[in-house]
Amino acid sequence: MRDVILDVDMGIDDAIAAMYLTTFAEVRIAAAGTVHGNVDAAGAARNVLRVFDLCDIDAPVAIGAARPLVRDLHLAPEVHGADGLGNVAPPASSREPSGESAPEQLVRLARSDPGRYEILATGPLTNLAVALVLEPRLPELVRAVTIMGGAAHGVGNMTPLAEANIWHDPEAARLVFAATWPLTMVGLDVTNVTRLEEQDLARLGRSPAPRAALAGRILVHYLDFYEMITSRRVCPLHDPLAAGILADPTLVTRSLDAEISVGLDEASRGMTIVDRRRDGGPVATDAPAAHRVVTEVDGRRFVEDLLTRLGA
Ligand code: RIB
Ligand code: CA
């Protein structure tokens, strides 16, 4: 059994990622922390509890960072709706967040059983950065970290150069990438091209299964946003792909190990700078904080698996 701590800005694709992850028998969601990003951190916690209710997950939910370390708060209602779930969220949960903060929860769990917990972070990295400050040994205490964020090839979705999760809190991302933990970065190189197409959405729309039905409902708002950009009713699968790679690493068909830094000035804010000079060379590198950057995946196999597991 693999124990996973979610760290999320629970918007539409975070919710689909969480629902998907709950379908893997060998994965247990042990806890969730929430962070500002798509929606405020308290709203994200409400959304996590809604999704956990639907999936019958009883894990604690801790509200985390309400704002980035240095930058101003920026939310994304135009992409995810004012409530973060396309304004069609299921009824509020009767459960409450735990009262502990998300970084403290992370540190407590990691200390309690070194090497046991994996982290899946699909929002800005503020909680992970604060946890690293609270507990500098955190990289030795967690089993692995998988993040959705950044890009290896200088593409962006928030700015021409920056992916949203990294852009929201670039100072936090810098701390997280400088830490020597086993980290896999699932960025826009792979998530932008791993999409739900019209026929996939039709399958979701027809399914009475609770996970598929909720996905179909909340995706309407997400698709409205992407249609404005691409003129097609299709959408990328950012956070679900990161969850898929955590659960099934064989989805990765190409990756490289590289140091990752983050742009902090006005033009480069949130840009991940992936040192690709070793691309195609030996996989192992002696750089102190080399991380695995996913550059190609079996996208169609992933989408099929996602739809099947959601019940579509
Ligand atoms: O850039 C995509 C990421 O930003 C996803 O995690 C999405 O949920 C938003 O947080
Ligand atoms: Ca997210």
Side-chain angles (χ1 to χ4, degrees), residues 207-268:
S207 171
R211 289 176 178 80
L214 180 60
R217 281 213 315 279
I218 61 181
L219 275 167
V220 171
H221 192 282
Y222 203 58
L223 290 161
D224 290 345
F225 173 79
Y226 277 103
E227 192 174 10
M228 286 191 302
I229 300 174
T230 64
S231 303
R232 286 186 59 207
R233 248 180 131 64
V234 300
C235 66
L237 288 163
H238 302 298
D239 297 344
L241 183 60
I245 288 171
L246 178 146
D248 179 5
T250 70
L251 288 168
V252 176
T253 52
R254 189 174 167 87
S255 67
L256 60 118
D257 283 1
E259 286 178 274
I260 306 167
S261 57
V262 179
L264 298 180
D265 66 26
E266 201 177 303
S268 72

Side-chain angles (χ1 to χ4, degrees), residues 166-195:
I166 308 301
W167 178 90
H168 278 284
D169 196 343
E171 283 78 11
R174 225 187 219 207
L175 288 177
V176 169
F177 289 133
T180 55
W181 39 16
L183 182 147
T184 298
M185 183 178 106
V186 181
L188 294 179
D189 314 275
V190 284
T191 66
N192 262 346
V193 292
T194 305
R195 295 172 166 219

Side-chain angles (χ1 to χ4, degrees), residues 8-15 36-39 76 79-80 121-124 148-150 156-158 162-166 168 188 191-192 222 226 236-240:
V8 295
D9 58 340
M10 189 64 97
I12 291 167
D13 60 331
D14 303 74
H36 66 90
N38 294 329
V39 68
V79 188
H80 295 268
T122 59
M148 189 283 132
N157 59 0
M158 194 72 196
E163 183 281 328
N165 286 338
I166 308 301
H168 278 284
L188 294 179
T191 66
N192 262 346
Y222 203 58
Y226 277 103
L237 288 163
H238 302 298
D239 297 344

